Amino acid sequence: MPNFSAMRRIACLTLAVPTALLAQTRASAPKAQAPRDSFALTAPLPADPAVKMGTLPNGIAYYIRKNAKPEKRAELRLVVNAGSILEDDDQRGLAHFVEHMAFNGTKSFAKNDIVKYLESIGVRFGADLNAYTSFDETVYILPVPTDSAGILDKSFRFLGDVASGVLFDSTEVVAERGVVLSEWRNGLGAGERLRDKQFPVIFKGSRYAERLPIGKPAILEGANPGPMRRFWRDWYRPDLMAVIAVGDADPAEVERLIRRTFAPIPPRTTKRARTLATVPPHDSTLVSIATDKELTSSSVGVLWKRPGRVARTVGDLRADLLDRLYNTMINQRFSELALKPETPFAGAGAGSGGFVRGSEFNSLDANAKEGKLLESLQALLTEAERVQRHGFLASELDRARTNLLRAYERAYTERDKTPSGAFVSAYIGHFLQGEAMPGIAFEYAAVQKLLPTVTVAEVNALAQARSGAANRVVTVTLPEKEGLRVPTEAEVRAVFGTVLAANIAPYAETVAEGALVASPPSPGRVVNERTIPAHNITEWTLANGVRVLVKPTDFNADQIQMTGWSPGGASMVSDQDVFKTSLTPVVIAQGGVGSFSTIDLRKKLTGKVAQVQPSIADLSEGVSGGASPRDLETLLQLTYLRLTAPRADSTVFKATMQQFETVLKNKDANPAAVFSDTVQVTLAGGHPRVRPLTLDMLQELKLDDMLAIYKERFSDAGDFTFVFVGTIDLAVLKPLAEQWLGSLPSSGRKETPRDVGPKQFTGTIDKQVRKGIAPQSQTALLLAGVGPWSREEAYVLSSLGELLEMRLLDRLRESLGGTYSVNVSTGFSRRPRQEWQVVISYGSAPEKADTMFAAVQQELDSLRRVPPTAAEVERVREQQRRELEVARKQNGYWVGAIRSRAENGDPLDAIGGEEQQFASLTPETLAAAAKRYLHEANRARFVLLPEKP
């Protein structure tokens, strides 16, 4: 599929340019000749003039773009047009290993020095600094600050070293074996075993079937520098590399640094040919049927392989639009079917996209209800055949076209607010495959002209590419369990004939008429208004008691975020009803609102950007959602309806229960699910409010009971608080809030959440869970206690967790090579009880679980006895400072900050103060905190191990 703009995924945008500037990109022509039509189907897609492109004399390409969001940040990439597909037989897995070694010693940076340096300037290893190796390319990812001298210089120097100066020290290679094997081990399981059965069929006759990036464990276990260095020397060469820099930096300075760093790299005089692997065509259907004892559900998929197309012309853009319209419309039909209990699948979908380099696919997939695999395949094919015979309706195309155009419009509106990282994929695609990157200004203008010309007949014609036996692969997967019959290949093939012979009626639809709210309520009124000047927050109190907090921002051009809550939540229901309460919002929301079913509501909201979803948490119930400023009233209307007009749909309820059953029937075959349930139940000490959902529990659910719970929780808005943040005009929002929030029913009920949940565990817990086939282990270690909460103390505990994660990553991964990653999370609850918790989790080889635990205990002891260094503390503080700089320019940060203060009764003008907390963090502060929190007075250790030692 084309990759010419991040409009492939609407979130990935490109910067607009004036029409006059676009005109400069057109080829000049004799005056007597008519001006060229930039939107003619044969016209080439222009290059976005906001991007500076070039090629150094040695062959290294570069892409530079100035972009100010986020401020003082840049996204750097080194792209290598080489991946695992190019490995020799003795190198399987070493393309990925080379990527690891780039962080373990280069000519300018000793082992891990670049990681420690980047952490010191606020870049987190893994979360920010990272890399990936795929079949066809390797990409190094480096997001860095740009407001301090020398950072860009040093960052480019590291990328230059990756291109020309990786050391491959034998000691470091041996040490890294364990880390890479841990990454391989993390990927083991049912999915990996099914993939190993399916890929030889899907990629039949192709090198892709035998060149997975993770490689062969036997080669990884004995990895040595020779084959690695050979791969790096053969493929990490100037003519196969590109440097990408997008961000808040002077393009001229960036280009100077790129030239200074990368131009001296000598070109290769002898080069191995960079050939492209292919996926051979085949005339007949290939079938893969696979079972696994840890698989939890059944699925069936049909894909049609096709040669890849590279988007270079306006016609290619139009072809992409047709694909998207087709998939959108048939997916709407599939989503409607999933809401009917008689449908054999729990969910289904169609898709198109890139497969591997030079190959693409069209696909149909379904998650089948147990025992309904063949029926699900028939249902999938029937819908595709229905389109082929009868086509789509004009009304379906109108809706899909309207929504797609609105998505492009929003992308264009946000063109100056696009984060730098969103541009990168387009430039990678341009370098690797020659994909066009015209930018959102051109794309939006083109789409405005192209979409109205699309006809139903054109979209219908695409069904032909999603039929026929040629290049078709059917994949069937299901749990390996007693009593569940595995279909034969002959039975699978027979379904195609059954569908072709069937009498299939045309699709028919109904569209609900009328206003979203049939009878608008009488508006309430604001009875009190105040402002919090320090943060530009306005507070309205409505006559019915509803409180509204509003913060206008300019962080995005077309975004409003909203949350609303009322104290109480599940704490107000009985123990036996708590699991019903947790499922109630999902079940009731599935029914729609007011007089509109979910299907009717989706159609009613065509062209609008507004959504609201209800939720019930332990201590509150509420709604959350968002909208485009243009659709602010729709957001308020949906909020009103969610609270006052829930819609219980018995048919949808039955279908939803079947979907839950599909998930739960084989849940306990999944080792991770069993492990999670064991941890949850053990820590709760068998408390009745903590019960993993089971099939027996589903039988207790009654729609009328759930509707009653919903109404009881949401029917009184008197103690609701709503927060709105984003592109908001107060003069517009105020009357809408009075109309739709001020009219919410209120009896003056004021609730206080009850303390009904399980208490924090005490003492020592050691529990092993033996489940699973793969030779992998997972450990969860919890430390817990009680103590007085304060915002400062919660911050110190969080900082201690960040420090501990750094220490454990260095010890468990870098020193011992025993794991791929370590996660440390902390929590300090304020309500209903003041309790704290530290959670440490990591994976390892089963035989190393005890050794790793001992190492963790040693690090805990070390932090309790010896204060951290000033450099370690500064790394923690700098990462926090950098993250805060970005977060404060995001609407979500303010929604969370305002809610946290308001929900806990704290003054809103006290929001902020993080800088003072950062300044107060010292080695002594963290040393004292380690003594308070890193003890094992209350310690729980859970270890997941394979069933067979």
Side-chain angles (χ1 to χ4, degrees), residues 36-72:
R36 181 174 180 177
D37 181 2
S38 295
F39 303 117
L41 297 183
T42 57
L45 291 165
D48 189 339
V51 185
K52 166 73 173 178
M53 293 184 290
T55 303
L56 300 176
N58 58 9
I60 293 178
Y62 62 86
Y63 300 75
I64 303 169
R65 182 192 190 104
K66 182 171 178 58
N67 187 64
K69 187 177 176 69
E71 297 174 9
K72 305 173 186 176

Side-chain angles (χ1 to χ4, degrees), residues 169-365:
D169 178 84
S170 58
T171 301
E172 299 303 338
V173 169
V174 171
E176 195 68 14
R177 289 174 184 168
V179 177
V180 178
L181 283 165
S182 293
E183 188 173 356
W184 163 79
R185 194 178 295 108
N186 286 349
L188 299 180
E192 162 258 342
R193 292 188 291 271
L194 293 174
R195 179 198 65 204
D196 287 349
K197 295 174 183 177
Q198 291 176 341
F199 271 29
V201 178
I202 295 172
F203 292 119
K204 185 178 181 180
S206 173
R207 189 177 175 85
Y208 285 109
E210 55 187 31
R211 283 296 185 273
L212 284 171
I214 197 61
K216 290 287 189 180
I219 292 177
L220 302 178
E221 288 166 355
N224 64 77
M228 254 181 267
R229 191 177 285 115
R230 186 175 79 244
F231 182 91
W232 179 75
R233 186 174 57 247
D234 285 343
W235 306 116
Y236 278 57
R237 64 188 200 224
D239 61 304
L240 296 179
M241 291 192 287
V243 182
I244 298 172
V246 182
D248 193 8
D250 176 19
E253 174 62 12
V254 170
E255 184 174 13
R256 185 187 70 79
L257 289 171
I258 289 174
R259 289 185 175 277
R260 189 182 75 181
T261 305
F262 293 91
I265 299 174
R268 302 291 167 82
T269 53
T270 59
K271 297 183 281 191
R272 288 182 67 175
R274 194 342 182 163
T275 57
L276 295 177
T278 61
V279 180
H282 45 91
D283 294 332
S284 60
T285 298
L286 304 178
V287 178
S288 168
I289 301 174
T291 64
D292 193 276
K293 65 180 295 184
E294 293 177 10
L295 198 60
T296 60
S297 62
S298 303
S299 66
V300 59
V302 185
L303 65 85
W304 288 267
K305 294 177 281 188
R306 68 186 190 198
R309 65 176 186 238
V310 177
R312 295 194 175 101
T313 68
V314 173
D316 296 330
L317 170 58
R318 192 174 188 276
D320 179 60
L321 294 175
L322 291 175
D323 267 340
R324 293 167 67 182
L325 290 168
Y326 178 96
N327 289 332
T328 295
M329 289 188 284
I330 197 168
N331 281 331
Q332 292 293 349
R333 292 188 180 185
F334 283 137
S335 65
E336 291 181 15
L337 286 171
L339 295 176
K340 298 177 179 180
E342 63 271 20
T343 300
F345 54 72
S352 303
F355 202 32
V356 289
R357 187 79 62 84
S359 183
E360 297 176 349
F361 67 88
N362 298 313
S363 66
L364 299 171
D365 295 280

Side-chain angles (χ1 to χ4, degrees), residues 83-128:
S84 61
I85 199 68
L86 298 174
E87 293 169 342
D88 296 331
D89 287 343
D90 66 338
Q91 295 173 323
R92 294 176 66 176
L94 298 191
H96 173 239
F97 210 129
V98 166
E99 170 215 309
H100 276 244
M101 293 312 299
F103 299 96
N104 282 279
T106 67
K107 63 185 180 184
S108 303
F109 300 92
K111 172 182 169 64
N112 253 5
D113 277 6
I114 186 61
V115 174
K116 288 184 169 56
Y117 168 70
L118 291 168
E119 286 180 340
S120 75
I121 60 173
V123 179
R124 292 185 186 273
F125 182 54
D128 302 318

Side-chain angles (χ1 to χ4, degrees), residues 329-575:
M329 289 188 284
I330 197 168
N331 281 331
Q332 292 293 349
R333 292 188 180 185
F334 283 137
S335 65
E336 291 181 15
L337 286 171
L339 295 176
K340 298 177 179 180
E342 63 271 20
T343 300
F345 54 72
S352 303
F355 202 32
V356 289
R357 187 79 62 84
S359 183
E360 297 176 349
F361 67 88
N362 298 313
S363 66
L364 299 171
D365 295 280
N367 182 21
K369 296 172 183 176
E370 189 157 287
K372 299 288 185 180
L373 262 171
L374 295 176
E375 294 87 344
S376 293
L377 175 59
Q378 183 171 337
L380 276 178
L381 297 174
T382 297
E383 286 313 304
E385 183 68 16
R386 194 187 313 276
V387 173
Q388 188 158 354
R389 293 186 194 180
H390 306 294
F392 292 108
L393 303 178
S395 56
E396 292 178 286
L397 177 59
D398 287 343
R399 288 193 298 270
R401 187 162 38 201
T402 298
N403 287 332
L404 183 55
L405 184 60
R406 182 70 193 276
Y408 269 99
E409 179 187 0
R410 294 195 75 207
Y412 178 76
T413 301
E414 293 282 11
R415 64 195 181 280
D416 294 326
K417 307 290 185 178
T418 305
S420 295
F423 294 103
V424 172
S425 63
Y427 308 153
I428 292 175
H430 182 273
F431 170 66
L432 294 176
Q433 300 191 75
E435 294 279 8
M437 44 176 204
I440 189 58
F442 181 90
E443 265 195 78
Y444 180 43
V447 168
Q448 286 177 292
K449 288 182 174 291
L450 296 173
L451 270 180
T453 70
V454 173
T455 66
V456 173
E458 285 182 287
V459 183
N460 292 344
L462 296 185
Q464 189 63 41
R466 293 156 171 83
S467 65
N471 300 314
R472 183 169 64 192
V473 180
V474 182
T475 59
V476 175
T477 63
L478 66 160
E480 181 182 315
K481 60 181 285 189
E482 186 176 351
L484 184 58
R485 184 177 172 277
V486 180
T488 67
E489 182 173 329
E491 289 173 325
V492 170
R493 292 182 181 277
V495 173
F496 291 89
T498 299
V499 171
L500 289 176
N503 180 23
I504 300 173
Y507 173 80
E509 72 167 358
T510 58
V511 178
E513 301 295 336
L516 192 58
V517 182
S519 301
S522 300
R525 61 188 180 88
V526 171
V527 296
N528 188 50
E529 179 173 340
R530 73 182 186 104
T531 59
I532 298 89
H535 300 299
N536 190 31
I537 297 171
T538 298
E539 177 179 352
W540 297 320
T541 302
L542 297 164
N544 59 354
V546 170
R547 184 186 186 195
V548 181
L549 301 167
V550 190
K551 179 176 174 61
T553 69
D554 60 1
F555 306 143
N556 289 84
D558 196 41
Q559 184 189 78
I560 295 174
Q561 292 189 13
M562 178 274 289
T563 187
W565 71 94
S566 168
S571 75
M572 309 306 289
V573 306
S574 64
D575 288 353

